[in-house]
Amino acid sequence: MKFTVLTLFPDFVNSFFMNGMISRAVKKKIISCISINIRDFAFNHHKTVDDKPYGGGCGMVIKPEPLYAAVKYARKDRPDSRVILMTPQGRPFDQKKAWDFAKKKKSLVFICGRYEGIDERINYSLVDEEISIGDYVMTGGELAAMVIIDSVTRLLPDVLGGKESVDIDSFQNGRLEYAHYTRPSRFKDMDIPDVLLSGNHKKIEKWRITSSLKRTFLKRPDLFTQKKLKEHEKQILKKWCRELEELIKK
Ligand code: SAM
């Protein structure tokens, strides 16, 4: 899979490409990552990439000509590339979208805005889709592009150690993942649940489903409306309710 990031801060993006899981995936040739400096496509002597907004007002806007040339360059050997504009006004990114990219797309080009954003004419002439990583405004689109590249890459075959770790991730099955513990079994007077030391895989599996359901209920009950409760999940939650009632009565 190929990721191309159009940015005014290529060093920022390159440092991300050179570390951790991303750099290992590059070495294994599972992905290729390129940053393109939009400024390299500026026409004038001063390499100007921004200008004042028509109609007045604060801030600067990224000019259309350099960005247009940069997108054309990024797509020249991959005309099938999907061009994505990072913008707080885009569709919110989620795990489903990450899977969609991981399964269906072979080349993604990210436009990272700065200042007040980009000239709108680039948006409607070259952009295939607008994506936001949340309802807040950052100074640039680079972090947003990195979020997408990171979450898509870890879903690609042979990137993570075991396939299971992706299968049990939060959101994968419309639930949050269960709680994790590691050695030591006692830490500052806190013990891990006995069942995890029992060696009984059936009981451990049941404990994990219960943990996942409780966490989803407490932290993200909205997920239950996206994926309805199955019968065995209902039973687990009902049992938990009964335990809570007993506790309250005491
Ligand atoms: N004036 C714009 C607005 O209100 O919609 C925001 C511009 S923002 C300061 C500069 C750039 O950061 C944007 O062009 C975009 O590329 C990026 N950006 C900021 N917040 C983002 C978010 N939540 N998701 C994706 N990109 C974002």
Side-chain angles (χ1 to χ4, degrees):
M1 184 149 190
K2 184 178 179 185
F3 299 111
T4 307
V5 180
L6 308 186
T7 171
L8 289 171
F9 295 89
D11 291 347
F12 181 29
V13 179
N14 288 340
S15 69
F16 165 68
F17 291 157
M18 287 185 300
N19 284 287
M21 173 201 69
I22 296 294
S23 78
R24 286 196 298 278
V26 171
K27 278 184 198 131
K28 285 191 196 168
K29 297 195 188 329
I30 299 168
I31 58 169
S32 66
C33 296
I34 295 163
S35 68
I36 291 178
N37 193 343
I38 300 165
R39 203 174 292 283
D40 290 344
F41 296 85
F43 293 162
N44 69 0
H45 178 64
H46 297 290
K47 296 271 174 204
T48 311
V49 288
D50 57 325
D51 209 335
K52 286 180 266 180
Y54 274 120
C58 59
M60 300 294 270
V61 177
I62 297 188
K63 289 167 70 59
E65 310 96 313
L67 197 47
Y68 190 89
V71 174
K72 287 281 170 190
Y73 177 81
R75 294 182 65 181
K76 76 176 180 338
D77 55 343
R78 293 299 297 262
D80 61 324
S81 300
R82 190 147 184 90
V83 179
I84 298 158
L85 173 64
M86 305 319 309
T87 164
Q89 302 183 13
R91 183 192 137 157
F93 185 66
D94 59 13
Q95 187 73 359
K96 193 164 170 281
K97 189 70 192 171
W99 269 114
D100 189 48
F101 283 149
K103 283 186 175 156
K104 295 188 201 145
K105 302 289 178 266
K106 296 284 167 266
S107 174
L108 300 178
V109 174
F110 298 95
I111 299 177
C112 302
R114 283 270 158 176
Y115 321 122
E116 289 308 314
I118 67 165
D119 187 290
E120 188 63 16
R121 289 165 290 185
I122 293 298
N123 198 357
Y124 58 69
S125 61
L126 289 179
V127 170
D128 295 311
E129 121 178 64
E130 299 180 5
I131 295 186
S132 161
I133 60 160
D135 287 351
Y136 41 81
V137 178
M138 300 181 293
T139 49
E142 289 76 10
L143 286 170
M146 291 183 217
V147 164
I148 296 178
I149 294 170
D150 188 285
S151 53
V152 172
T153 299
R154 67 189 294 286
L155 300 178
L156 297 173
D158 302 325
V159 171
L160 295 184
K163 185 187 166 297
E164 312 77 51
S165 50
V166 169
D167 289 343
I168 59 171
D169 273 341
S170 294
F171 312 112
Q172 189 60 28
N173 298 304
R175 307 285 178 256
L176 300 181
E177 194 182 352
Y178 52 79
H180 295 282
Y181 299 91
T182 187
R183 271 175 282 226
S185 60
R186 167 163 278 226
F187 172 70
K188 294 199 185 291
D189 288 343
M190 290 179 281
D191 291 321
I192 67 163
D194 287 342
V195 63
L196 298 180
L197 293 168
S198 71
N200 185 328
H201 295 294
K202 258 194 159 168
K203 281 189 178 165
I204 292 172
E205 184 53 25
K206 190 164 181 202
W207 179 88
R208 286 182 168 161
I209 295 171
T210 307
S211 165
S212 159
L213 285 171
K214 284 181 180 176
R215 285 153 80 92
T216 308
F217 180 80
L218 292 171
K219 299 183 195 186
R220 290 292 304 274
D222 58 297
L223 293 177
F224 289 126
T225 52
Q226 289 169 32
K227 189 167 184 205
K228 296 260 175 294
L229 283 162
K230 291 183 182 151
E231 195 45 47
H232 76 281
E233 292 180 321
K234 282 183 191 169
Q235 295 310 323
I236 289 170
L237 283 177
K238 276 181 188 166
K239 183 168 175 277
W240 185 41
C241 283
R242 285 196 296 273
E243 285 166 9
L244 286 174
E245 272 171 22
E246 288 302 315
L247 194 71
I248 294 163
K249 275 184 209 159
K250 276 181 193 168

